[in-house]
Amino acid sequence: MKPYYLALGLLVAGCTVGTDYQRPAVSVEDRFVEGSAQSIGEVSQQKWWLSYNDATLSRFIERGLAQNLDSQAAIEAIRQAQAELRQTGLNASLDGSLSASTTKAGGDDISGTSTTDSGTLSASLVIDLFGGIRREREAAIASLAGARDDAETVRLAWLAELVSAYSNARYYQEALALTRTTINTRQETVDITNSQFQAGASTEYELAEAQALLSTARADLPEFAALFDANVYAIATLLNEPSGIIVAQMQKGSPQLRTPRDGAIGVPADLLRNRPDVRSAETDLAAAFANVGVAESALYPALTLSGSIGRSEGADSWSFGPQLSLPVFNRGLLKAQRDAQISVAKQAEIAWRSAINDAVEDVQVAQSSLSRNRQRAALLRTAASDYGRALSLAQENYRNGAITLLDLLDTDRNANTAKISAASAVNDAAQAWATLKIVTGAGAAVNETEGN
């Protein structure tokens, strides 16, 4: 190696162009609008669904976390990122091959045959003068972290879908039960009205009205049953299990999910740590910063050490030396690529800040929704109870002739609507609580099966 090559290598060894990533300053409020200033800490391992006290749901989640297809695909993305990381660093700097051949030759005008053996071992090493290879590795490390964060985001989305499908299924089961009770009540009204009609105390019109209301209730059963089935099939798909098994388990019945009391949301700063989608946006930003360094390093000289050892027909040969390449005529292209990568980094920062804002909004909306749905469920349960009492009084008064059939049927309609609405509100509140937990990042890392 000539002295000036060596001097150049020693002079710039360890120099890394580009900017080392540091989290940009970001301003978040001290508390959510309806929250306190108390942090909730690390919540990624929190099994919040156990607070529902529903053994079937807990078993479904325990099985599904390990075997659902969405998580399996996310794990494969992690493995891909791990393999891409192994392609960087020293593996990106080294290149070389070993080749060997044996050739036999002969012909009509040649006495006998000849054999020629040859072999060559060649290798090259890129000297990372300006840190381009190191920046590539930094970007790959960030991408791997992002893949892990994305897997947690997938896990939270899966939890949201499963809890929603399960809660909906239990609601439609409750709606079926309430409708069957309504059918029994309306059948009793039809029987009473028919007896009165036979005795001349009621009109045919009134009997037809009572029968029509009974038929309406019966017509609701297939719809609720179909919606129950659809949600059970969705559960089976989410669990990656045969539908028949899940249908059999769900048909055993269980009360609707009730909303747990816990509603802690922490402070906005918790989201930077707990929300995997926010962390993923930041890893994208870190990777973009590193790629700026990669593009910047392309503007500087590149030094490669290469050599080879060979043997052919008993003669040995070797070669060794450095190669220095300077970007001259393509510097305009390289600068444009560098500037484009700077813009990518700026866009990544904007996306990260937007992810933080979206996360804060998600929590505040979810908290408001939970609070309002809890209030609505309580009020509708009271209304359903009041209408139930009113219906009992109306039935008694109708038997005694104190009110008309139309008054009874009107009360019946209102009572049935109130019961179904109350059950729907209970379902909404239960799902709102799950949404609040999910938007805070709770449970994102439960049952992680992929190692570091």
Side-chain angles (χ1 to χ4, degrees), residues 283-432:
T283 60
D284 289 343
L285 174 58
F289 261 75
N291 286 328
V292 171
V294 174
E296 180 74 21
S297 68
L299 290 165
Y300 295 89
L303 179 62
T304 303
L305 300 179
S306 60
S308 65
I309 300 174
R311 170 181 284 268
S312 179
E313 297 183 351
D316 296 332
S317 62
W318 62 271
S319 65
F320 175 77
Q323 176 183 343
L324 183 66
S325 62
L326 302 173
V328 178
F329 298 109
N330 63 338
R331 289 188 65 81
L333 172 63
L334 296 176
K335 285 182 179 180
Q337 291 174 341
R338 186 270 318 275
D339 293 344
Q341 193 56 53
I342 290 174
S343 180
V344 169
K346 290 179 178 178
Q347 293 175 58
E349 181 178 348
I350 293 170
W352 171 65
R353 293 182 184 277
S354 177
I356 295 173
N357 291 338
D358 289 344
V360 171
E361 179 187 356
D362 288 345
V363 172
Q364 295 187 150
V365 170
Q367 185 188 34
S368 175
S369 177
L370 174 60
S371 175
R372 303 328 182 241
N373 276 300
R374 274 176 166 161
Q375 295 172 4
R376 181 171 180 270
L379 292 171
L380 284 173
R381 284 197 299 268
T382 300
S385 177
D386 292 341
Y387 266 115
R389 182 171 176 272
L391 179 59
S392 296
L393 293 172
Q395 289 172 322
E396 182 179 351
N397 289 334
Y398 177 63
R399 292 190 191 95
N400 297 330
I403 63 173
T404 67
L405 175 64
L406 294 180
D407 292 331
L408 171 61
L409 297 183
D410 187 53
T411 303
D412 190 341
R413 290 188 190 93
N414 291 334
N416 181 65
T417 300
K419 289 188 296 183
I420 297 297
S421 296
S424 177
V426 168
N427 178 37
D428 291 341
Q431 292 192 45

Side-chain angles (χ1 to χ4, degrees), residues 62-407:
E62 182 179 356
R63 295 204 307 266
L65 282 173
Q67 66 191 29
N68 76 84
L69 296 179
D70 291 342
S71 292
Q72 290 181 29
I75 288 172
E76 287 304 320
I78 292 175
R79 291 173 177 155
Q80 176 186 345
Q82 288 174 328
E84 290 171 348
L85 175 59
R86 294 198 303 271
Q87 298 173 29
T88 65
L90 184 61
N91 288 336
S93 301
L94 286 173
D95 191 15
S97 62
L98 172 64
S99 61
S101 66
T102 297
T103 304
K104 289 184 177 294
D108 293 339
D109 56 346
I110 300 176
S111 175
T113 61
S114 63
T115 302
T116 303
D117 296 325
S118 64
T120 302
L121 173 64
S122 61
S124 64
L125 172 65
V126 177
I127 305 299
D128 193 19
L129 297 178
F130 297 97
I133 293 177
R134 287 190 289 276
R135 294 300 188 195
E136 286 180 348
R137 184 166 181 81
E138 289 174 8
I141 291 172
S143 295
L144 175 56
R148 291 196 171 104
D149 292 333
D150 291 342
E152 293 188 5
T153 301
V154 167
R155 187 176 292 110
L156 288 178
W158 180 87
L159 283 168
E161 288 188 65
L162 184 68
V163 172
S164 176
Y166 185 86
S167 186
N168 285 336
R170 292 308 186 198
Y171 158 65
Y172 289 120
Q173 240 175 355
E174 178 70 10
L176 283 166
L178 293 172
T179 301
R180 292 187 182 103
T181 300
T182 297
I183 288 172
N184 292 334
T185 299
R186 291 179 180 178
Q187 181 63 62
E188 183 180 350
T189 300
V190 168
D191 293 341
I192 295 172
T193 305
N194 185 53
S195 297
Q196 293 179 344
F197 174 70
Q198 297 298 329
S202 178
T203 66
E204 185 176 359
Y205 169 75
E206 290 175 323
L207 178 59
E209 279 284 322
Q211 290 175 330
L213 199 61
L214 172 61
S215 298
T216 299
R218 286 174 173 165
D220 289 337
L221 287 177
E223 179 183 8
F224 289 139
L227 292 170
F228 169 78
D229 289 344
N231 281 278
V232 173
Y233 296 150
I235 292 171
T237 299
L238 289 166
L239 296 181
N240 191 25
E241 293 183 1
S243 299
I245 297 174
I246 307 302
V247 169
Q249 290 177 313
M250 292 293 292
Q251 283 179 340
K252 295 177 182 178
S254 183
Q256 280 189 268
L257 293 181
R258 296 293 176 174
T259 308
R261 293 183 178 275
D262 174 37
I265 58 175
V267 295
D270 289 333
L271 300 175
L272 300 179
R273 169 184 55 199
N274 291 332
R275 279 280 292 254
D277 57 329
V278 173
R279 297 200 311 269
S280 178
E282 186 176 1
T283 60
D284 289 343
L285 174 58
F289 261 75
N291 286 328
V292 171
V294 174
E296 180 74 21
S297 68
L299 290 165
Y300 295 89
L303 179 62
T304 303
L305 300 179
S306 60
S308 65
I309 300 174
R311 170 181 284 268
S312 179
E313 297 183 351
D316 296 332
S317 62
W318 62 271
S319 65
F320 175 77
Q323 176 183 343
L324 183 66
S325 62
L326 302 173
V328 178
F329 298 109
N330 63 338
R331 289 188 65 81
L333 172 63
L334 296 176
K335 285 182 179 180
Q337 291 174 341
R338 186 270 318 275
D339 293 344
Q341 193 56 53
I342 290 174
S343 180
V344 169
K346 290 179 178 178
Q347 293 175 58
E349 181 178 348
I350 293 170
W352 171 65
R353 293 182 184 277
S354 177
I356 295 173
N357 291 338
D358 289 344
V360 171
E361 179 187 356
D362 288 345
V363 172
Q364 295 187 150
V365 170
Q367 185 188 34
S368 175
S369 177
L370 174 60
S371 175
R372 303 328 182 241
N373 276 300
R374 274 176 166 161
Q375 295 172 4
R376 181 171 180 270
L379 292 171
L380 284 173
R381 284 197 299 268
T382 300
S385 177
D386 292 341
Y387 266 115
R389 182 171 176 272
L391 179 59
S392 296
L393 293 172
Q395 289 172 322
E396 182 179 351
N397 289 334
Y398 177 63
R399 292 190 191 95
N400 297 330
I403 63 173
T404 67
L405 175 64
L406 294 180
D407 292 331

